[in-house]
Amino acid sequence: MILVHRITPFGIALVSIAAFASLIYSPFFGMKVLIPAAAMLVFAFSRLLLWEFRRPAFWVFLGTPMLLWFSSLIFFSFLEDPVSKWVIATTVTFGVALYAENVFTFYHLPSAYQAYALENLSLVLYVLSAFFFTSGAFGSQLFLLLPVWIPMLVVFVDVLFATVSVFWVSKIGFETGRPYAIVGAILMAELYSVLSTWPTSFVTNAATFAVLLYTFLVLSRANVLERLTKKMVIRTVVFSSVLLAIILGSARWL
């Protein structure tokens, strides 16, 4: 039994990269592969999580990698360069497989589990998911002429789930983290509305959104855990400011 769980992360990586490869080399066939591939990923993660549907941990640990995978497909659909597609495919596959590996050690080999691994990895994956999803949302507004309130609503739900999940993995109870999650979701939805008016590309807007979401998650989590210090605030703000300066400084303003 443990052997099957041991090879599950490798199986997840193979399914993910095969799905992306089919989309790159044969988009029409790839579209047919997506649903079976998604079903296999959900099945593999569910089995790794021991089918514990009634536990919040199951939905958090399942939702995190699947949100990354699905949101990356939205961004993937706007890419044309094969090199860019392979960069996204390998990055997402590595992230999903690494998450599966840490879930395996957490559930089935706890003695080998590295403290805070899932906590830090969840934060990274949610920030990546935010970038992929919002880039797709901005792109959809541009090409499909969607009204801004539709992606705003989805962004609200996405950030709400991301904040609750990051807090839960950090051992913060739902009741404690709920006010931060609701306020953060409202603020990020409003930020999305503001960014949608910027004369920049959807990739620039999404990158800006992801950096600010990272800042919010890091500082709010530290505040709840009573780890927020002046030094940490300065370090986080400086790091985020440098990233924003690079993003906006290199952006093409229309």
Side-chain angles (χ1 to χ4, degrees), residues 68 71 91-92 95 123-133 210:
L68 173 67
S71 61
T91 300
V92 172
L123 176 63
V124 173
L125 295 194
Y126 275 119
V127 171
L128 274 177
S129 298
F131 169 74
F132 291 139
F133 174 77

Side-chain angles (χ1 to χ4, degrees), residues 2-70:
I2 189 68
L3 178 61
V4 176
H5 291 309
R6 171 67 276 179
I7 64 175
T8 296
F10 299 100
I12 288 173
L14 289 175
V15 170
S16 176
I17 200 67
F20 279 111
S22 64
L23 285 173
I24 294 172
Y25 291 116
S26 180
F28 180 74
F29 175 74
M31 294 299 294
K32 295 182 178 180
V33 169
L34 284 183
I35 294 179
M40 285 189 283
L41 291 176
V42 170
F43 176 84
F45 270 106
S46 298
R47 194 176 186 284
L48 203 58
L49 295 167
L50 304 176
W51 307 98
E52 296 178 332
F53 301 110
R54 296 184 178 181
R55 295 186 59 196
F58 176 87
W59 298 105
V60 171
F61 290 143
L62 174 64
T64 301
M66 294 310 300
L67 179 62
L68 173 67
W69 199 75
F70 282 116

Side-chain angles (χ1 to χ4, degrees), residues 144-156:
L144 303 179
L145 301 179
L146 288 178
V148 69
W149 68 267
I150 294 178
M152 274 184 68
L153 182 60
V154 182
V155 166
F156 173 86

